[in-house]
Coordinates of all heavy atoms in Angstrom, one line a residue:
M261 N 105.8 67.6 96.1 CA 106.2 68.9 96.6 C 105.8 69.9 95.5 O 105.9 69.7 94.3 CB 107.7 68.9 96.8 CG 108.1 70.2 97.3 SD 109.9 70.6 97.3 CE 110.6 69.2 98.2
I262 N 105.4 71.1 96.0 CA 105.1 72.2 95.2 C 106.1 73.3 95.5 O 106.4 73.6 96.7 CB 103.7 72.7 95.4 CG1 102.7 71.6 95.1 CG2 103.4 74.0 94.6 CD1 101.3 72.0 95.4
I263 N 106.7 73.9 94.5 CA 107.6 75.0 94.6 C 107.0 76.3 94.0 O 106.5 76.3 92.9 CB 108.9 74.7 93.9 CG1 109.6 73.5 94.5 CG2 109.9 75.9 94.0 CD1 110.7 73.0 93.7
F264 N 107.0 77.4 94.8 CA 106.5 78.7 94.4 C 107.8 79.6 94.2 O 108.6 79.7 95.1 CB 105.6 79.3 95.4 CG 104.3 78.6 95.6 CD1 104.2 77.5 96.4 CD2 103.2 79.0 94.8 CE1 103.0 76.9 96.6 CE2 102.0 78.4 95.0 CZ 101.9 77.3 95.9
E265 N 107.8 80.2 93.0 CA 108.9 81.2 92.8 C 108.4 82.5 92.4 O 107.5 82.6 91.5 CB 109.8 80.6 91.7 CG 111.1 81.4 91.5 CD 112.1 80.7 90.5 OE1 112.5 79.6 90.8 OE2 112.3 81.3 89.5
F266 N 108.8 83.6 93.0 CA 108.3 84.9 92.7 C 109.5 85.8 92.3 O 110.6 85.7 92.8 CB 107.7 85.5 94.0 CG 106.7 84.6 94.7 CD1 107.1 83.9 95.8 CD2 105.4 84.5 94.1 CE1 106.1 83.1 96.4 CE2 104.5 83.7 94.8 CZ 104.9 82.9 95.9
S267 N 109.3 86.7 91.3 CA 110.3 87.6 90.9 C 109.7 89.0 90.7 O 108.5 89.1 90.4 CB 110.9 87.2 89.6 OG 110.0 87.1 88.6
R268 N 110.5 90.0 91.0 CA 110.0 91.4 90.9 C 110.8 92.0 89.7 O 112.0 91.9 89.6 CB 110.3 92.2 92.2 CG 109.9 93.6 92.2 CD 110.2 94.3 93.5 NE 111.6 94.6 93.7 CZ 112.1 95.8 93.3 NH1 111.4 96.7 92.7 NH2 113.4 95.9 93.5
H269 N 110.0 92.7 88.8 CA 110.7 93.4 87.7 C 111.3 94.7 88.2 O 110.8 95.4 88.9 CB 109.6 93.8 86.6 CG 109.0 92.6 86.0 ND1 108.2 92.7 84.9 CD2 109.1 91.2 86.2 CE1 107.8 91.5 84.5 NE2 108.4 90.6 85.3
E270 N 112.6 94.9 87.8 CA 113.3 96.1 88.1 C 113.5 96.9 86.8 O 114.6 96.9 86.3 CB 114.6 95.7 88.8 CG 114.4 95.0 90.1 CD 115.7 94.5 90.8 OE1 116.7 95.2 90.5 OE2 115.6 93.6 91.6
D271 N 112.4 97.5 86.4 CA 112.5 98.2 85.1 C 113.1 99.6 85.2 O 113.6 100.1 84.2 CB 111.0 98.4 84.5 CG 110.4 97.1 84.3 OD1 111.1 96.1 84.0 OD2 109.1 97.0 84.4
N272 N 113.1 100.2 86.4 CA 113.6 101.5 86.5 C 115.1 101.5 87.0 O 115.4 100.9 88.1 CB 112.7 102.2 87.5 CG 113.1 103.7 87.8 OD1 114.1 104.2 87.3 ND2 112.3 104.4 88.5
P273 N 116.0 102.1 86.3 CA 117.4 102.1 86.8 C 117.6 102.8 88.1 O 118.6 102.6 88.8 CB 118.2 102.8 85.6 CG 117.2 103.5 84.8 CD 115.8 102.8 85.0
D274 N 116.7 103.7 88.4 CA 116.8 104.5 89.7 C 116.0 103.8 90.8 O 115.6 104.4 91.8 CB 116.3 105.9 89.5 CG 117.1 106.7 88.5 OD1 118.3 106.5 88.5 OD2 116.5 107.5 87.8
D275 N 115.7 102.5 90.6 CA 114.9 101.7 91.5 C 115.4 101.8 93.0 O 116.6 101.6 93.3 CB 115.0 100.2 91.1 CG 114.0 99.3 91.8 OD1 113.2 99.8 92.7 OD2 114.0 98.1 91.6
L276 N 114.5 102.2 93.9 CA 114.9 102.4 95.3 C 114.5 101.2 96.1 O 114.5 101.2 97.3 CB 114.2 103.7 95.8 CG 114.7 105.0 95.1 CD1 113.9 106.1 95.7 CD2 116.2 105.2 95.3
G277 N 114.0 100.1 95.5 CA 113.6 98.9 96.2 C 112.1 98.7 96.0 O 111.4 99.4 95.3
P278 N 111.6 97.6 96.6 CA 110.2 97.2 96.5 C 109.2 98.2 97.0 O 109.5 98.8 98.1 CB 110.2 95.9 97.2 CG 111.5 95.5 97.7 CD 112.4 96.7 97.5
I279 N 108.1 98.3 96.3 CA 107.0 99.0 96.8 C 105.7 98.1 96.6 O 105.9 97.0 96.0 CB 106.7 100.4 96.1 CG1 106.5 100.2 94.6 CG2 107.9 101.3 96.4 CD1 106.1 101.4 93.9
G280 N 104.6 98.4 97.2 CA 103.5 97.5 97.2 C 102.9 97.2 95.8 O 102.2 96.1 95.7
F281 N 103.1 97.9 94.8 CA 102.5 97.7 93.5 C 103.5 97.4 92.4 O 103.2 97.5 91.2 CB 101.6 98.9 93.1 CG 100.5 99.2 94.1 CD1 100.6 100.3 95.0 CD2 99.4 98.3 94.3 CE1 99.7 100.5 95.9 CE2 98.5 98.6 95.2 CZ 98.6 99.7 96.0
D282 N 104.6 96.8 92.7 CA 105.6 96.4 91.7 C 105.1 95.3 90.9 O 104.3 94.4 91.4 CB 106.9 96.0 92.4 CG 107.7 97.1 93.0 OD1 107.6 98.2 92.5 OD2 108.5 96.8 93.9
F283 N 105.5 95.3 89.6 CA 105.1 94.2 88.7 C 106.2 93.1 88.8 O 107.4 93.3 89.1 CB 105.0 94.7 87.3 CG 103.8 95.5 87.1 CD1 103.8 96.9 87.1 CD2 102.5 94.9 87.0 CE1 102.7 97.7 87.0 CE2 101.4 95.7 86.8 CZ 101.5 97.1 86.8
G284 N 105.8 91.9 88.5 CA 106.7 90.7 88.6 C 106.0 89.5 88.0 O 104.9 89.6 87.4
D285 N 106.6 88.4 88.3 CA 106.0 87.1 87.8 C 106.1 86.1 88.9 O 106.8 86.2 89.8 CB 106.9 86.6 86.6 CG 106.6 87.4 85.4 OD1 105.5 87.4 84.8 OD2 107.6 88.1 84.9
M286 N 105.2 85.1 88.7 CA 105.1 84.0 89.6 C 105.1 82.7 88.9 O 104.5 82.6 87.8 CB 103.7 84.1 90.4 CG 103.5 83.0 91.4 SD 101.9 83.1 92.2 CE 101.7 84.9 92.6
E287 N 105.8 81.7 89.4 CA 105.9 80.3 88.8 C 105.6 79.3 89.9 O 106.1 79.4 91.0 CB 107.2 80.1 88.1 CG 107.3 78.7 87.4 CD 108.5 78.5 86.6 OE1 109.5 79.3 86.8 OE2 108.5 77.6 85.8
V288 N 104.7 78.3 89.5 CA 104.4 77.2 90.5 C 104.8 75.9 89.7 O 104.4 75.7 88.6 CB 102.9 77.2 90.8 CG1 102.6 76.1 91.8 CG2 102.5 78.6 91.4
V289 N 105.6 75.1 90.4 CA 106.1 73.9 89.8 C 105.8 72.7 90.8 O 106.0 72.8 92.0 CB 107.7 73.9 89.6 CG1 108.2 72.6 89.0 CG2 108.1 75.1 88.8
G290 N 105.2 71.7 90.2 CA 104.8 70.5 91.0 C 105.1 69.2 90.2 O 105.6 69.3 89.1
D291 N 104.7 68.1 90.8 CA 105.0 66.8 90.2 C 104.2 66.6 88.9 O 104.6 65.9 88.0 CB 104.6 65.7 91.2 CG 105.4 65.7 92.4 OD1 106.6 66.2 92.3 OD2 105.0 65.2 93.4
L292 N 103.1 67.3 88.7 CA 102.3 67.2 87.5 C 102.5 68.2 86.4 O 101.8 68.2 85.4 CB 100.8 67.2 87.9 CG 100.4 66.1 88.9 CD1 98.9 66.2 89.2 CD2 100.6 64.7 88.3
G293 N 103.4 69.2 86.7 CA 103.7 70.2 85.7 C 104.0 71.5 86.4 O 104.3 71.6 87.6
S294 N 103.9 72.6 85.6 CA 104.2 73.9 86.1 C 103.3 74.9 85.4 O 102.7 74.7 84.4 CB 105.6 74.3 85.8 OG 105.9 74.4 84.4
A295 N 103.2 76.1 86.1 CA 102.4 77.2 85.5 C 103.2 78.5 85.8 O 103.8 78.6 86.9 CB 101.0 77.3 86.2
S296 N 103.2 79.4 84.9 CA 104.0 80.6 85.1 C 103.2 81.8 84.5 O 102.6 81.7 83.4 CB 105.3 80.5 84.4 OG 106.0 81.7 84.4
S297 N 103.3 83.0 85.2 CA 102.6 84.2 84.7 C 103.4 84.7 83.5 O 102.9 85.5 82.7 CB 102.6 85.2 85.8 OG 103.9 85.6 86.2
K298 N 104.7 84.2 83.3 CA 105.4 84.7 82.1 C 104.8 84.1 80.8 O 105.0 84.7 79.8 CB 106.9 84.2 82.2 CG 107.6 84.8 83.3 CD 109.0 84.2 83.4 CE 109.8 84.8 84.6 NZ 111.1 84.2 84.8
D299 N 104.2 83.0 80.9 CA 103.6 82.3 79.7 C 102.1 82.5 79.5 O 101.6 81.9 78.6 CB 103.9 80.8 79.9 CG 105.4 80.5 80.1 OD1 106.2 81.2 79.5 OD2 105.7 79.5 80.8
D300 N 101.5 83.3 80.3 CA 100.0 83.3 80.3 C 99.5 84.3 79.2 O 98.3 84.3 79.0 CB 99.4 83.6 81.6 CG 99.7 85.0 82.1 OD1 100.3 85.8 81.4 OD2 99.3 85.3 83.3
G301 N 100.3 85.1 78.6 CA 99.9 86.0 77.6 C 99.2 87.3 78.1 O 98.9 88.1 77.3
V302 N 99.0 87.4 79.4 CA 98.4 88.5 80.0 C 99.4 89.6 80.4 O 99.2 90.8 80.3 CB 97.6 88.1 81.3 CG1 97.0 89.3 82.0 CG2 96.5 87.2 80.9
G303 N 100.6 89.2 80.7 CA 101.7 90.1 81.1 C 101.9 90.1 82.6 O 101.3 89.2 83.3
P304 N 102.8 90.9 83.1 CA 103.2 90.8 84.5 C 102.1 91.2 85.4 O 101.1 91.8 85.0 CB 104.4 91.9 84.6 CG 104.2 92.8 83.4 CD 103.5 92.0 82.3
M305 N 102.2 90.7 86.6 CA 101.2 91.0 87.6 C 101.8 91.9 88.7 O 103.0 92.0 88.9 CB 100.7 89.7 88.2 CG 101.8 88.8 88.9 SD 101.2 87.3 89.7 CE 100.4 86.5 88.4
M306 N 100.9 92.5 89.5 CA 101.3 93.2 90.7 C 101.7 92.1 91.7 O 100.8 91.5 92.4 CB 100.2 94.1 91.2 CG 99.9 95.3 90.3 SD 98.8 96.5 91.0 CE 97.3 95.5 90.8
I307 N 103.0 91.9 91.8 CA 103.4 90.7 92.5 C 103.1 90.6 94.0 O 102.7 89.6 94.5 CB 104.9 90.4 92.2 CG1 105.4 89.0 92.6 CG2 105.8 91.5 92.9 CD1 104.7 87.9 91.8
F308 N 103.3 91.7 94.7 CA 103.0 91.7 96.1 C 101.5 91.5 96.4 O 101.1 90.8 97.3 CB 103.6 92.9 96.8 CG 105.1 93.0 96.7 CD1 105.7 94.0 96.0 CD2 105.9 91.9 97.2 CE1 107.1 94.1 95.9 CE2 107.3 92.0 97.0 CZ 107.9 93.0 96.4
V309 N 100.7 92.2 95.7 CA 99.2 92.1 95.8 C 98.8 90.6 95.5 O 98.0 90.0 96.2 CB 98.5 93.1 94.9 CG1 97.0 92.9 95.0 CG2 98.8 94.5 95.3
S310 N 99.4 90.1 94.4 CA 99.0 88.8 93.9 C 99.4 87.7 94.9 O 98.7 86.7 95.2 CB 99.6 88.5 92.6 OG 99.1 89.4 91.6
V311 N 100.6 87.8 95.5 CA 101.0 86.9 96.5 C 100.1 86.9 97.7 O 99.8 85.8 98.3 CB 102.5 87.1 96.9 CG1 102.9 86.3 98.1 CG2 103.4 86.8 95.8
G312 N 99.7 88.1 98.2 CA 98.8 88.2 99.3 C 97.4 87.5 99.0 O 96.9 86.8 99.8
V313 N 96.9 87.7 97.8 CA 95.7 87.0 97.4 C 95.8 85.5 97.3 O 95.0 84.8 97.8 CB 95.2 87.6 96.0 CG1 94.0 86.8 95.5 CG2 94.8 89.0 96.1
L314 N 97.0 85.1 96.8 CA 97.2 83.6 96.7 C 97.3 83.0 98.1 O 96.7 82.0 98.4 CB 98.5 83.4 96.0 CG 99.0 81.9 95.9 CD1 98.0 81.0 95.2 CD2 100.4 81.8 95.3
L315 N 98.0 83.6 99.0 CA 98.1 83.1 100.4 C 96.8 83.1 101.1 O 96.5 82.1 101.8 CB 99.1 83.9 101.2 CG 100.6 83.8 100.8 CD1 101.4 84.8 101.6 CD2 101.1 82.4 101.0
D316 N 95.9 84.1 100.9 CA 94.6 84.1 101.5 C 93.8 82.9 100.9 O 93.1 82.2 101.7 CB 93.9 85.4 101.1 CG 92.6 85.6 101.8 OD1 92.5 85.4 103.1 OD2 91.6 85.9 101.1
E317 N 93.8 82.7 99.6 CA 93.1 81.6 99.0 C 93.6 80.2 99.5 O 92.8 79.3 99.8 CB 93.1 81.6 97.5 CG 92.4 82.8 96.9 CD 90.9 82.7 97.1 OE1 90.3 81.6 97.2 OE2 90.2 83.7 97.1
L318 N 94.9 80.1 99.7 CA 95.5 78.8 100.2 C 95.1 78.6 101.6 O 94.8 77.4 102.0 CB 97.0 78.9 100.0 CG 97.6 78.7 98.6 CD1 99.1 78.9 98.6 CD2 97.2 77.4 98.0
C319 N 95.0 79.6 102.4 CA 94.6 79.5 103.8 C 93.2 79.0 103.9 O 92.8 78.1 104.7 CB 94.7 80.8 104.6 SG 96.4 81.2 105.0
T320 N 92.3 79.5 103.1 CA 90.9 79.1 103.0 C 90.8 77.6 102.6 O 90.1 76.8 103.2 CB 90.1 80.0 102.0 OG1 90.2 81.3 102.4 CG2 88.7 79.6 101.9
L321 N 91.6 77.2 101.6 CA 91.6 75.9 101.1 C 92.1 74.9 102.2 O 91.5 73.9 102.5 CB 92.6 75.7 99.9 CG 92.7 74.4 99.3 CD1 91.3 73.9 98.7 CD2 93.7 74.4 98.2
V322 N 93.1 75.3 103.0 CA 93.6 74.5 104.1 C 92.6 74.3 105.2 O 92.4 73.2 105.7 CB 94.9 75.0 104.6 CG1 95.3 74.4 105.9 CG2 96.1 74.9 103.6
E323 N 91.9 75.4 105.5 CA 90.8 75.4 106.5 C 89.7 74.4 106.1 O 89.2 73.7 106.9 CB 90.3 76.8 106.8 CG 91.2 77.7 107.5 CD 90.8 79.1 107.6 OE1 89.7 79.4 107.1 OE2 91.5 79.9 108.2
R324 N 89.3 74.4 104.8 CA 88.3 73.5 104.3 C 88.7 72.1 104.3 O 87.9 71.2 104.5 CB 87.8 73.9 102.9 CG 86.9 75.1 102.9 CD 86.3 75.3 101.5 NE 87.2 75.1 100.4 CZ 87.5 76.0 99.5 NH1 86.8 77.1 99.5 NH2 88.3 75.7 98.5
G325 N 90.0 71.9 104.1 CA 90.6 70.5 104.0 C 90.3 69.8 102.7 O 90.7 68.6 102.6
R326 N 89.7 70.4 101.8 CA 89.4 69.8 100.5 C 89.0 70.8 99.5 O 88.8 72.0 99.8 CB 88.3 68.7 100.6 CG 87.0 69.3 101.0 CD 85.9 68.2 101.2 NE 84.8 68.7 101.8 CZ 83.8 69.4 101.1 NH1 83.9 69.6 99.9 NH2 82.7 69.8 101.8
G327 N 88.9 70.4 98.2 CA 88.5 71.3 97.2 C 89.6 72.0 96.4 O 90.7 71.5 96.4
G328 N 89.3 73.1 95.8 CA 90.2 73.8 95.0 C 89.7 75.3 94.8 O 88.7 75.6 95.3
F329 N 90.5 76.0 94.0 CA 90.1 77.4 93.7 C 90.8 77.8 92.4 O 91.8 77.3 92.0 CB 90.4 78.4 94.8 CG 91.9 78.5 95.1 CD1 92.6 79.5 94.6 CD2 92.5 77.7 96.1 CE1 94.0 79.7 94.8 CE2 93.8 77.8 96.4 CZ 94.6 78.8 95.7
D330 N 90.2 78.8 91.7 CA 90.8 79.4 90.6 C 91.5 80.7 91.0 O 91.0 81.5 91.7 CB 89.7 79.8 89.5 CG 89.1 78.6 88.9 OD1 89.8 77.6 88.7 OD2 87.9 78.6 88.6
Y331 N 92.8 80.8 90.5 CA 93.6 82.0 90.9 C 94.0 82.7 89.6 O 94.5 82.1 88.7 CB 94.8 81.5 91.6 CG 95.8 82.6 92.0 CD1 95.5 83.5 93.0 CD2 96.9 82.8 91.2 CE1 96.3 84.5 93.3 CE2 97.8 83.8 91.5 CZ 97.5 84.7 92.5 OH 98.3 85.7 92.8
T332 N 93.7 84.0 89.6 CA 94.1 84.8 88.4 C 95.1 85.9 88.8 O 95.7 86.5 87.9 CB 92.9 85.5 87.8 OG1 92.2 86.3 88.8 CG2 91.9 84.4 87.3
G333 N 95.4 86.2 90.0 CA 96.3 87.2 90.4 C 95.8 88.6 90.1 O 94.7 88.8 89.8
S334 N 96.7 89.6 90.1 CA 96.4 90.9 89.8 C 97.3 91.4 88.7 O 98.5 91.8 88.9 CB 96.7 91.8 91.0 OG 95.9 91.5 92.1
S335 N 96.8 91.2 87.4 CA 97.6 91.5 86.2 C 97.4 92.8 85.7 O 96.3 93.5 85.9 CB 97.3 90.4 85.2 OG 97.6 89.1 85.6
R336 N 98.4 93.3 84.9 CA 98.2 94.5 84.1 C 97.7 94.1 82.8 O 98.3 93.5 82.0 CB 99.6 95.2 84.0 CG 99.6 96.4 83.1 CD 100.9 97.1 83.0 NE 102.0 96.2 82.9 CZ 103.3 96.5 83.0 NH1 103.6 97.8 83.2 NH2 104.3 95.7 82.9
I337 N 96.4 94.5 82.6 CA 95.7 94.1 81.3 C 95.3 95.4 80.6 O 94.7 96.3 81.2 CB 94.5 93.3 81.6 CG1 94.8 92.0 82.3 CG2 93.7 93.0 80.3 CD1 93.6 91.2 82.8
S338 N 95.7 95.5 79.4 CA 95.4 96.7 78.6 C 94.1 96.3 77.8 O 94.1 95.3 77.1 CB 96.5 97.1 77.6 OG 97.6 97.4 78.3
R339 N 93.1 97.1 78.0 CA 91.8 96.9 77.2 C 91.5 98.2 76.5 O 91.5 99.3 77.1 CB 90.7 96.5 78.2 CG 90.9 95.2 78.8 CD 89.6 94.7 79.5 NE 89.8 93.4 80.0 CZ 89.7 93.1 81.3 NH1 89.4 94.0 82.2 NH2 89.9 91.9 81.7
S340 N 91.2 98.1 75.2 CA 90.8 99.3 74.5 C 89.3 99.3 74.5 O 88.6 98.3 74.5 CB 91.3 99.2 73.1 OG 90.7 98.1 72.4
T341 N 88.8 100.5 74.7 CA 87.3 100.7 74.7 C 86.9 101.4 73.4 O 87.0 102.6 73.4 CB 86.8 101.4 75.9 OG1 87.5 102.6 76.0 CG2 87.0 100.6 77.2
S342 N 86.7 100.7 72.4 CA 86.3 101.3 71.1 C 84.8 101.3 70.9 O 84.2 100.3 71.3 CB 87.0 100.6 69.9 OG 86.7 99.3 69.9
P343 N 84.2 102.3 70.4 CA 82.8 102.3 70.1 C 82.4 101.3 69.1 O 83.1 101.0 68.2 CB 82.5 103.7 69.6 CG 83.8 104.3 69.2 CD 84.9 103.5 69.9
S344 N 81.2 100.6 69.4 CA 80.8 99.6 68.4 C 79.8 100.1 67.4 O 79.2 101.1 67.6 CB 80.1 98.4 69.1 OG 79.9 98.6 70.5

């Protein structure tokens, strides 16, 4: 069995509820181990966008009936652009 757990960050005390681009985390737990966006070092992801992408990839995998895919989600990544 595989368990998917999603959480939404509520950083704003005046939070009026979920919107499409809220940040959060995802954890997947199975018989062989677990993976969590909390531990990936990248930071929180846009949770609703990421869940939609994950479901789309899973549907494609089910239709094929075999194989796998790499999933990275939609993360908030800070990159500095310094001149070289």
Side-chain angles (χ1 to χ4, degrees):
M261 178 191 310
I262 298 174
I263 299 170
F264 292 87
E265 188 172 299
F266 310 101
S267 62
R268 183 177 74 91
H269 294 186
E270 297 179 24
D271 299 333
N272 183 353
D274 299 325
D275 189 1
L276 300 176
I279 60 171
F281 300 105
D282 287 334
F283 288 100
D285 290 295
M286 182 184 313
E287 183 172 12
V288 182
V289 180
D291 295 336
L292 299 177
S294 65
S296 172
S297 63
K298 292 177 185 176
D299 304 328
D300 67 3
V302 176
M305 60 176 59
M306 290 185 290
I307 193 65
F308 298 118
V309 173
S310 297
V311 169
V313 171
L314 176 63
L315 291 174
D316 185 52
E317 292 291 334
L318 286 172
C319 286
T320 301
L321 181 63
V322 169
E323 288 173 1
R324 282 193 314 237
R326 61 183 171 80
F329 63 93
D330 291 324
Y331 175 76
T332 57
S334 299
S335 297
R336 171 175 44 190
I337 301 173
S338 299
R339 293 193 176 118
S340 63
T341 53
S342 57
S344 8

